[in-house]
Amino acid sequence: MKATELLKRQHREVKGLFKETKKASGAKARRSGMEEIATKLLAHMAIEEDIFYPAVKELGTKKTAEMVPEAYEEHHVAKLVIRELPKVNPEDERFEAKMTVLEELIEHHVEEEEKEMFKVAEKLGAERLTELGAEMKAAFDPQPLKAAGGRR
Ligand SMILES: [Fe+2]
Ligand SMILES: [Fe+2]
């Protein structure tokens, strides 16, 4: 599977999890939904940062020189929110507010990846993209959230 296809599938999965978690009633269900989202997002961001972004950056165009550092910074902001979420009571209004902020952040970020970065990434060629896809699939390793709020 091409790297871009793998990442798109993961984007769709997280989008679905946000939808489910918003509908979930009860503190326990919302917390476990949040934990699954956080876990999947952290693993997704890790394979992008370690494998996909460096490959895109290697293309060395003016566009990639802007796009890649911006994507890392967006991940950084998402991780700040992800780290705070486990400390907030799911029954507190701040929980829903933070989840909404995270969802919007991710939505914006995913749109830029899919509409801009993945298009540019096509220049890597189908073969290289398939190699990167296999490498990322093997490296994808969701870890349970630590009580302190995540491993990164
Ligand atoms: Fe990303
Ligand atoms: Fe992504």
Side-chain angles (χ1 to χ4, degrees), residues 78-100:
K79 285 179 215 173
L80 293 177
V81 181
I82 288 171
R83 273 192 203 114
E84 289 175 354
L85 272 164
K87 298 175 211 155
V88 182
N89 183 336
E91 278 162 348
D92 190 304
E93 63 179 16
R94 289 173 62 235
F95 184 86
E96 203 178 326
K98 271 190 201 300
M99 286 294 283
T100 302

Side-chain angles (χ1 to χ4, degrees), residues 11 44-45 48 53 71 74-75 109-110 113 117:
H11 292 164
H44 175 83
M45 291 191 282
E48 286 184 337
Y53 291 175
E74 287 175 353
H75 281 191
H109 176 73
V110 160
E113 283 185 339
M117 192 189 282

Side-chain angles (χ1 to χ4, degrees), residues 14-32:
V14 168
K15 193 180 178 163
L17 289 171
F18 270 113
K19 216 173 157 189
E20 278 171 34
T21 305
K22 264 194 278 187
K23 279 191 289 187
S25 55
K28 214 177 158 190
R30 289 159 92 192
R31 178 172 290 278
S32 80

